[in-house]
Amino acid sequence: MKPVVQLERTGCGIAAVATLAGVNYTQAKRVAARLGIFAYDPKLWSEPHHVRRLLKQYGIRPASTEVLFTSWEALPDLALLAIKWRRERGRAFWHWVVFWRGSHRPVVFDSKRALRNHKRTDFGRIRPKWFIPMSTT
């Protein structure tokens, strides 16, 4: 699995799905647009429904519910994490990242463009709020 960098400031949901689907950002953005999903829409980073719809377009089966984060050890082998969770004007917002328990070690793929390394292992600095488990079959 390889990280995909978001090409738009608010495209983390699209980039996370692209990472899971093994496609580039532009391809995922095109599929998202056909579904009426756009990076500039705050619903993409404040409601999980849109990311779920995009995942299903790629045949990726997310769990039906979100799970409260308790520990890194308790995460499944593959999950979408909601990090940088905050409230603005009464609405929740977060940044989407992908957690993968790879063959060598666990890693978080963070699509934020400004990062030097998009494969993160600095788990002490990442503060997940909740996650969506992904089916690995």
Side-chain angles (χ1 to χ4, degrees), residues 52-115:
R52 289 176 180 282
R53 286 182 44 227
L54 188 53
L55 286 165
K56 289 177 184 174
Q57 285 295 303
Y58 284 102
I60 301 169
R61 296 183 327 217
S64 58
T65 59
E66 293 82 40
V67 180
L68 190 63
F69 178 86
T70 56
S71 72
W72 292 101
E73 296 75 27
L75 285 173
D77 290 343
L78 189 59
L80 267 181
L81 298 179
I83 69 170
K84 298 182 182 175
W85 193 94
R86 66 206 181 277
R87 237 179 231 293
E88 293 178 15
R89 291 182 234 133
R91 182 177 213 156
F93 290 94
W94 54 83
H95 176 63
W96 290 110
V97 295
V98 175
F99 173 81
W100 180 49
R101 201 177 303 282
S103 55
H104 299 292
R105 65 180 179 188
V107 65
V108 167
F109 296 119
D110 191 333
S111 65
K112 184 177 178 181
R113 197 174 199 171
L115 293 175

Side-chain angles (χ1 to χ4, degrees), residues 14 17-18 20-32 34 52-61:
I14 294 169
V17 172
L20 291 166
V23 300
N24 67 41
Y25 186 85
T26 303
Q27 291 169 312
K29 182 180 172 180
R30 196 174 308 123
V31 172
R34 284 198 305 263
R52 289 176 180 282
R53 286 182 44 227
L54 188 53
L55 286 165
K56 289 177 184 174
Q57 285 295 303
Y58 284 102
I60 301 169
R61 296 183 327 217

